[in-house]
Amino acid sequence: MSIPSITEAGTNYTGTYESATNQVILTASVPLLLGNGKVSVHYEPNPTWNTSLILSAKRTNNGSTICALCTITGGTTYQTVTQTDIELFRIQAVLALASYTGINIQLQLSGVSVTIPATTYNSKVVFTISAI
């Protein structure tokens, strides 16, 4: 996601920016023995991040699966991403391997302000799948 440079005092900046709806495209599988899984997300400063900047994520589609009885739920509204894992969405499987491809994730950055020191800020967004 590209944020325009703040170049001039008095210029009106929105402070909130959204990426493309498919900024991140996930593939996720939940093994048959697990049955259900959750996809969590957190960020890691890479190398520098300002905590006044608020990163959020949401799921914008269900992706696709060949599993007829599998479902994907949650995560369709923005959730604040922190340095500690938060649950973004769940995948439920019934008597099958739940495998999804093409799950689109949109990112949002808010808190952009002229009061934040001028430099380049980067973070790495990490997704984890685990048992519920």
Side-chain angles (χ1 to χ4, degrees):
M1 168 174 17
S2 180
I3 308 300
S5 296
I6 297 176
T7 57
E8 184 177 325
T11 301
N12 186 18
Y13 294 94
T14 62
T16 300
Y17 301 89
E18 289 183 312
S19 72
T21 57
N22 63 344
Q23 182 70 33
V24 177
I25 302 172
L26 298 177
T27 296
S29 295
V30 176
L32 178 60
L33 294 176
L34 191 56
N36 299 303
K38 66 179 178 179
V39 175
S40 301
V41 62
H42 72 273
Y43 80 87
E44 298 172 358
N46 188 26
T48 305
W49 188 254
N50 187 301
T51 56
S52 294
L53 298 171
I54 301 166
L55 188 61
S56 300
K58 72 176 179 178
R59 181 175 57 82
T60 60
N61 74 350
N62 288 341
S64 57
T65 184
I66 59 169
C67 178
L69 298 176
C70 297
T71 57
I72 186 169
T73 57
T76 57
T77 59
Y78 278 117
Q79 298 178 56
T80 301
V81 178
T82 65
Q83 288 184 280
T84 304
D85 270 339
I86 60 150
E87 182 178 314
L88 188 59
F89 61 90
R90 290 184 178 197
I91 296 173
Q92 289 86 31
V94 178
L95 302 175
L97 168 71
S99 182
Y100 283 84
T101 60
I103 302 168
N104 292 340
I105 305 295
Q106 184 173 24
L107 301 175
Q108 180 186 70
L109 182 69
S110 58
V112 177
S113 167
V114 295
T115 62
I116 295 174
T119 191
T120 299
Y121 297 102
N122 291 293
S123 68
K124 179 171 40 172
V125 179
V126 179
F127 294 89
T128 306
I129 190 164
S130 61
I132 294 177

Short mmCIF file of all heavy atoms in Angstrom, two decimals, residues 3 6 13-17 52-53 110-118 121:
data_model
loop_
_atom_site.label_atom_id
_atom_site.label_comp_id
_atom_site.label_asym_id
_atom_site.label_seq_id
_atom_site.Cartn_x
_atom_site.Cartn_y
_atom_site.Cartn_z
N ILE A 3 1.34 5.28 0.52
CA ILE A 3 0.76 6.45 1.16
C ILE A 3 1.47 7.68 0.59
O ILE A 3 2.70 7.72 0.53
CB ILE A 3 0.95 6.42 2.69
CG1 ILE A 3 0.46 5.08 3.26
CG2 ILE A 3 0.29 7.60 3.36
CD1 ILE A 3 -0.98 4.78 3.02
N ILE A 6 3.68 13.45 2.95
CA ILE A 6 3.15 14.69 3.52
C ILE A 6 4.21 15.74 3.27
O ILE A 6 5.30 15.69 3.84
CB ILE A 6 2.83 14.51 5.02
CG1 ILE A 6 1.73 13.46 5.18
CG2 ILE A 6 2.43 15.83 5.64
CD1 ILE A 6 1.38 13.13 6.60
N TYR A 13 -4.89 15.91 4.62
CA TYR A 13 -4.63 14.50 4.45
C TYR A 13 -5.72 13.72 5.15
O TYR A 13 -6.16 14.08 6.24
CB TYR A 13 -3.25 14.14 5.01
CG TYR A 13 -2.15 14.78 4.20
CD1 TYR A 13 -1.60 16.00 4.58
CD2 TYR A 13 -1.69 14.18 3.04
CE1 TYR A 13 -0.61 16.60 3.83
CE2 TYR A 13 -0.70 14.78 2.28
CZ TYR A 13 -0.16 15.97 2.67
OH TYR A 13 0.80 16.56 1.91
N THR A 14 -6.15 12.63 4.53
CA THR A 14 -7.28 11.88 5.09
C THR A 14 -6.92 11.13 6.36
O THR A 14 -7.78 10.90 7.20
CB THR A 14 -7.82 10.86 4.06
OG1 THR A 14 -6.79 9.92 3.77
CG2 THR A 14 -8.27 11.54 2.79
N GLY A 15 -5.67 10.72 6.50
CA GLY A 15 -5.27 10.00 7.70
C GLY A 15 -5.58 8.52 7.67
O GLY A 15 -5.06 7.76 8.47
N THR A 16 -6.45 8.07 6.74
CA THR A 16 -6.80 6.66 6.60
C THR A 16 -6.70 6.26 5.14
O THR A 16 -7.23 6.95 4.27
CB THR A 16 -8.23 6.39 7.12
OG1 THR A 16 -8.30 6.76 8.49
CG2 THR A 16 -8.61 4.92 6.99
N TYR A 17 -6.02 5.14 4.89
CA TYR A 17 -5.79 4.67 3.53
C TYR A 17 -6.08 3.19 3.44
O TYR A 17 -5.79 2.44 4.37
CB TYR A 17 -4.34 4.95 3.11
CG TYR A 17 -4.01 6.42 3.18
CD1 TYR A 17 -3.51 6.98 4.36
CD2 TYR A 17 -4.22 7.24 2.09
CE1 TYR A 17 -3.23 8.34 4.44
CE2 TYR A 17 -3.93 8.61 2.16
CZ TYR A 17 -3.44 9.14 3.33
OH TYR A 17 -3.18 10.48 3.41
N SER A 52 1.73 4.98 16.57
CA SER A 52 0.58 5.84 16.27
C SER A 52 -0.12 5.42 14.99
O SER A 52 -1.27 5.78 14.75
CB SER A 52 1.01 7.30 16.16
OG SER A 52 1.47 7.77 17.40
N LEU A 53 0.58 4.67 14.15
CA LEU A 53 -0.01 4.14 12.92
C LEU A 53 -0.79 2.88 13.25
O LEU A 53 -0.28 1.99 13.94
CB LEU A 53 1.08 3.84 11.89
CG LEU A 53 1.90 5.03 11.42
CD1 LEU A 53 3.07 4.56 10.58
CD2 LEU A 53 1.02 6.00 10.65
N SER A 110 -4.42 3.66 9.29
CA SER A 110 -5.00 4.90 9.81
C SER A 110 -4.04 5.50 10.82
O SER A 110 -3.05 4.89 11.21
CB SER A 110 -6.38 4.64 10.44
OG SER A 110 -6.29 3.68 11.47
N GLY A 111 -4.33 6.71 11.23
CA GLY A 111 -3.47 7.40 12.17
C GLY A 111 -2.37 8.20 11.51
O GLY A 111 -1.50 8.74 12.18
N VAL A 112 -2.38 8.27 10.16
CA VAL A 112 -1.37 9.05 9.44
C VAL A 112 -1.58 10.52 9.77
O VAL A 112 -2.68 11.04 9.68
CB VAL A 112 -1.48 8.82 7.91
CG1 VAL A 112 -0.49 9.68 7.16
CG2 VAL A 112 -1.27 7.33 7.60
N SER A 113 -0.51 11.19 10.19
CA SER A 113 -0.62 12.56 10.67
C SER A 113 0.71 13.29 10.51
O SER A 113 1.78 12.67 10.51
CB SER A 113 -1.02 12.54 12.15
OG SER A 113 -0.86 13.81 12.73
N VAL A 114 0.64 14.61 10.41
CA VAL A 114 1.85 15.43 10.35
C VAL A 114 2.59 15.41 11.68
O VAL A 114 3.74 15.83 11.75
CB VAL A 114 1.56 16.89 9.93
CG1 VAL A 114 1.02 16.94 8.52
CG2 VAL A 114 0.60 17.56 10.90
N THR A 115 1.96 14.90 12.73
CA THR A 115 2.61 14.85 14.04
C THR A 115 3.54 13.64 14.19
O THR A 115 4.30 13.57 15.14
CB THR A 115 1.57 14.83 15.17
OG1 THR A 115 0.77 13.65 15.05
CG2 THR A 115 0.68 16.08 15.12
N ILE A 116 3.48 12.70 13.25
CA ILE A 116 4.36 11.52 13.28
C ILE A 116 5.68 11.92 12.62
O ILE A 116 5.68 12.50 11.54
CB ILE A 116 3.71 10.34 12.55
CG1 ILE A 116 2.45 9.91 13.30
CG2 ILE A 116 4.68 9.17 12.43
CD1 ILE A 116 1.65 8.84 12.61
N PRO A 117 6.80 11.62 13.26
CA PRO A 117 8.10 11.99 12.67
C PRO A 117 8.26 11.48 11.24
O PRO A 117 7.89 10.34 10.93
CB PRO A 117 9.12 11.33 13.61
CG PRO A 117 8.39 11.19 14.91
CD PRO A 117 6.95 10.94 14.54
N ALA A 118 8.81 12.33 10.38
CA ALA A 118 8.98 11.98 8.97
C ALA A 118 10.09 10.96 8.80
O ALA A 118 11.23 11.20 9.16
CB ALA A 118 9.28 13.23 8.16
N TYR A 121 8.28 4.03 7.31
CA TYR A 121 7.85 3.01 8.26
C TYR A 121 7.44 1.77 7.49
O TYR A 121 6.73 1.85 6.49
CB TYR A 121 6.67 3.51 9.11
CG TYR A 121 7.02 4.71 9.96
CD1 TYR A 121 6.64 5.99 9.58
CD2 TYR A 121 7.76 4.55 11.12
CE1 TYR A 121 6.97 7.09 10.35
CE2 TYR A 121 8.10 5.64 11.90
CZ TYR A 121 7.70 6.91 11.51
OH TYR A 121 8.04 8.00 12.28
#
